[in-house]
Amino acid sequence: MKEIFGFIYRQNLWILAIVCVAFILLWAKLAVLNKNLTVKIANAVLLSVSVAVIIYETIILREYSAYEPILIPFKTFIRAKAESEYYRTFFMNILLFVPIGVFMPYVLSRTPKKRNIIITICSAFIFSITVEFLQYKFLLGLCETDDVIANTLGAAVGSLSYCYYMRLRNNFNKKEILMHYNFNNTQKS
């Protein structure tokens, strides 16, 4: 698993961003086409795997390190002026939580609701704070406010998939209604 994350980390950021956007759009289209329980189960399984990977990568794999927490928001960008690698780290923290934003809203309810997005983002925020607290408490890695900001932003970006899904689903339902209406009108003639 460490090799996979190392491979992803070394990729061009633009390519990663394009792949992320493509995944978000594709997942929404797949969800519209597959309206059955399988989609909900797939999202639940993938959400669980995403959470497990985050815990594994941010807590279990981390080695002991006695750093003071960095509680100043956006300190990463100040440090990035001297060392541009901090931009990559911030972006990777965003990417880490995109799957939570993609999968969680579909798991929350049977009918699409905008509140699923709010619940997802708030849950990701709480989960990120928990991870950072555990890193601080057990001296694992570096506890940073910027990580919480980036992780929450990642969940919000991932939730765009659900927004797109709701839009597609509404358009798809309108087309079905129009087709049904047109079919019934042609039968009456």
Side-chain angles (χ1 to χ4, degrees):
M1 174 104 54
K2 202 170 188 177
E3 295 84 23
I4 294 170
F5 279 104
F7 173 77
I8 293 170
Y9 192 84
R10 292 187 300 273
Q11 298 308 305
N12 181 299
L13 293 180
W14 286 107
I15 291 172
L16 291 174
I18 290 168
V19 168
C20 182
V21 169
F23 170 71
I24 287 169
L25 296 175
L26 182 64
W27 197 256
K29 286 198 177 232
L30 287 172
V32 168
L33 297 174
N34 299 305
K35 295 181 181 181
N36 56 25
L37 185 63
T38 310
V39 172
K40 190 165 187 164
I41 293 169
N43 280 296
V45 169
L46 292 170
L47 175 62
S48 300
V49 169
S50 298
V51 169
V53 165
I54 290 169
I55 291 169
Y56 182 75
E57 188 65 29
T58 60
I59 296 171
I60 295 171
L61 272 186
R62 295 293 168 106
E63 295 178 9
Y64 174 82
S65 58
Y67 294 108
E68 285 296 314
I70 300 173
L71 302 176
I72 301 168
F74 304 109
K75 177 93 179 201
T76 299
F77 296 108
I78 296 167
R79 293 186 301 180
K81 290 178 183 176
E83 191 176 335
S84 63
E85 189 65 19
Y86 285 108
Y87 289 122
R88 176 176 293 281
T89 303
F90 190 83
F91 185 73
M92 290 299 162
N93 275 311
I94 292 172
L95 283 183
L96 188 63
F97 272 63
V98 166
I100 288 177
V102 170
F103 304 130
M104 189 173 188
Y106 296 99
V107 174
L108 292 173
S109 70
R110 297 187 100 168
T111 57
K113 295 181 181 132
K114 291 180 183 178
R115 73 179 176 144
N116 292 357
I117 296 167
I118 295 166
I119 293 168
T120 296
I121 294 169
C122 290
S123 298
F125 175 73
I126 292 166
F127 179 49
S128 182
I129 287 175
T130 303
V131 167
E132 294 302 314
F133 173 75
L134 291 171
Q135 286 179 341
Y136 172 71
K137 179 79 175 157
F138 298 108
L139 302 172
L140 303 168
L142 187 59
C143 173
E144 295 182 82
T145 302
D146 286 355
D147 288 355
V148 175
I149 293 168
N151 297 157
T152 306
L153 181 60
V157 167
S159 293
L160 293 175
S161 171
Y162 194 70
C163 293
Y164 186 54
Y165 160 75
M166 287 191 308
R167 185 180 182 123
L168 287 174
R169 188 165 185 251
N170 286 339
N171 289 341
F172 191 71
N173 287 342
K174 286 177 189 173
K175 286 178 186 175
E176 281 182 343
I177 290 167
L178 286 174
M179 286 174 54
H180 179 72
Y181 176 76
N182 288 338
F183 178 74
N184 286 339
N185 281 343
T186 55
Q187 283 186 335
K188 290 179 185 176
S189 304

